[in-house]
Amino acid sequence: MATQTVIITGGATGIGYAIAEGFLNTGANVMINGRTLSKLESAAQKLNQPDRIQIIAGDITDPTFAPKMVTETVAKFGRVDVLINNAGIFAVKNFTDYTIDELSRYLGYVRGTFALTQETVKQMRKQGDGGAVVNISTILAFNGIKALPSSAPIMAKAAITAMVKNLSVELAADKIRINAVAPGIVLTPLLGEVNQETVDDLNQQQPLGRVGTPKDIADAVLYLANANWVTGVILPVDGGVDAGGDGTSNLKQ
């Protein structure tokens, strides 16, 4: 099997970093994107695979950035086999407190995801041997949690989740598969500073007894990226919360 080349947005920290590490461990080439060059450089140094890592700093919410990312990936590694649409932002806020400008910021990630997926699909079609796209969604796109009001960011996540069902059918003839992972609560920088007492409380409320780690999500992403007879799937990876237990119902705002 030829060496895979993978593009990961939001790849400098948290879930994106874990996904990059997971693919590198399989021998893949990885292009990681983020907005801050210094964070990307730090991530690349820690991953310590200089021949198989390329970094590209830029704002994914700018649709004109997408062609550059694909072009530079092909220039470095010769092809694109997998796209991981991971980049996003999240903040808890009451619905009536959101501004239209804030909503526009969240929806910018929908535009960016759309544009980058378009460019990637064009490249995969040129290559002629299929490929895979995995979007990072959230269980909050399916189940609202009283303690986590977040309607604006969830509108954006819901859009890239709905994209999976429609696009998977459209691209099936090209052997391009599109799936999504829907994480539950995962300890990442997006959560901000979380003390041990809060972590212990959250752990007790999860059906499987703990909150998620970035590696939990990365493992699911790697599965979907390489499961050749799986497309159009939205996979909850949430410790059992979606199965019937609101693991954060008692979380204090």
Side-chain angles (χ1 to χ4, degrees):
M1 179 180 175
T3 301
Q4 281 186 324
T5 295
V6 185
I7 294 175
I8 305 167
T9 65
T13 61
I15 289 172
Y17 178 90
I19 294 170
E21 186 172 43
F23 275 109
L24 287 168
N25 287 340
T26 71
N29 300 316
V30 174
M31 166 70 84
I32 56 175
N33 156 254
R35 287 179 294 177
T36 306
L37 180 59
S38 60
K39 289 182 179 180
L40 288 169
E41 290 173 337
S42 176
Q45 185 175 15
K46 286 190 293 183
L47 290 166
N48 195 29
Q49 297 282 351
D51 294 336
R52 294 193 285 116
I53 297 175
Q54 181 81 351
I55 61 174
I56 181 166
D59 187 352
I60 189 61
T61 67
D62 177 4
T64 64
F65 179 61
K68 180 180 180 181
M69 202 183 315
V70 173
T71 298
E72 290 202 12
T73 302
V74 173
K76 173 70 175 179
F77 298 119
R79 57 187 294 114
V80 180
D81 300 288
V82 181
L83 168 63
I84 311 299
N85 288 310
N86 169 67
I89 54 176
F90 178 84
V92 172
K93 201 169 191 178
N94 290 325
F95 173 65
T96 53
D97 292 334
Y98 283 112
T99 66
I100 293 300
D101 285 344
E102 286 174 316
L103 177 61
S104 294
R105 284 187 63 210
Y106 288 115
L107 295 180
Y109 286 91
V110 178
R111 293 191 298 272
T113 296
F114 183 92
L116 181 56
T117 304
Q118 275 191 328
E119 294 300 319
T120 301
V121 166
K122 291 175 186 176
Q123 176 62 30
M124 288 176 175
R125 282 175 168 163
K126 286 181 186 177
Q127 294 164 188
D129 51 4
V133 178
V134 183
N135 292 347
I136 304 301
S137 178
T138 170
I139 60 164
L140 292 173
F142 313 103
N143 297 297
I145 293 175
K146 183 178 180 180
L148 298 173
S150 47
S151 56
I154 300 311
M155 285 176 68
K157 286 295 187 183
I160 68 167
T161 305
M163 172 187 181
V164 167
K165 294 293 186 181
N166 289 272
L167 199 54
S168 62
V169 175
E170 180 179 344
L171 299 180
D174 297 298
K175 301 296 188 291
I176 299 171
R177 299 175 300 101
I178 177 164
N179 296 288
V181 173
I185 291 182
V186 179
L187 292 180
T188 75
L190 278 180
L191 286 182
E193 294 295 327
V194 179
N195 61 37
Q196 190 59 47
E197 181 181 356
T198 299
V199 173
D200 292 342
D201 184 49
L202 290 172
N203 286 339
Q204 292 173 9
Q205 296 179 52
Q206 307 305 303
L208 283 180
R210 66 172 177 85
V211 294
T213 67
K215 185 178 183 300
D216 291 323
I217 310 307
D219 288 345
V221 168
L222 264 72
Y223 163 71
L224 289 175
N226 292 287
N228 289 325
W229 209 47
V230 177
T231 194
V233 165
I234 300 160
L235 177 62
V237 182
D238 60 3
V241 170
D242 187 61
D246 178 357
T248 60
S249 60
N250 297 318
L251 179 64
K252 295 179 181 178
Q253 295 187 44

